[in-house]
Amino acid sequence: IGLASWSADGRFLVSRNEQMPAVLFLWEASTLRLHSVIIMRAAVRSAHWHPRASTLAFCTSSAQLYLWSPAGVSVVALPGELELRVFELAWSTSGEVLALADKERFCCCYAPDDGSGGAGAQQIDEEGVLA
């Protein structure tokens, strides 16, 4: 096992077997059953849970960021002018910022302003999912 990490609320465990580096397994703790399997085209380089929600950010050394929640997976394409191939990522302790890095550069991603006046404000629903 090359990766094993609990979500902040303890509801989910993500794991990756080094023999299958492009596959993430997401386990539901309350039932001890497999909840989701994510199969990527390339090896998953980094995966980290949001510090306050059941949202997993992961990357594959591509120009895309992936976000998993119990509702499914979202793909975020990075602007081409960044020329960033995400090799590593990390959430801030507040969960308001996600740092993305390749071997030479990095950038910080902020949640979009939701119109409430608080730039970067994030909504977390009753399931603990980042909205």
Side-chain angles (χ1 to χ4, degrees):
I1 302 297
L3 169 71
S5 178
W6 288 99
S7 61
D9 60 7
R11 290 179 56 206
F12 297 99
L13 173 73
V14 62
S15 65
R16 182 187 66 223
N17 181 326
E18 286 304 313
Q19 300 299 315
M20 297 181 286
V23 180
L24 291 177
F25 299 92
L26 289 121
W27 305 88
E28 193 163 358
S30 64
T31 61
L32 301 176
R33 292 188 181 188
L34 189 60
H35 183 281
S36 302
V37 176
I38 301 170
I39 303 171
M40 304 300 293
R41 291 184 182 184
V44 175
R45 302 298 302 214
S46 182
H48 294 280
W49 290 103
H50 186 281
R52 296 183 297 128
S54 293
T55 300
L56 179 73
F58 59 99
C59 60
T60 61
S61 293
S62 70
Q64 296 171 319
L65 166 67
Y66 303 93
L67 298 169
W68 176 91
S69 75
V73 177
S74 299
V75 180
V76 180
L78 302 176
E81 64 268 11
L82 286 179
E83 297 180 10
L84 191 72
R85 300 284 179 231
V86 185
F87 186 81
E88 180 63 61
L89 53 84
W91 291 100
S92 66
T93 55
S94 67
E96 293 177 3
V97 182
L98 183 60
L100 309 175
D102 68 11
K103 293 183 179 187
E104 299 175 1
R105 310 173 275 288
F106 78 96
C107 72
C108 293
C109 300
Y110 297 85
D113 187 349
D114 64 359
S116 66
Q122 297 175 320
Q123 300 298 317
I124 298 175
D125 67 14
E126 63 277 355
E127 296 290 319
V129 176
L130 189 64

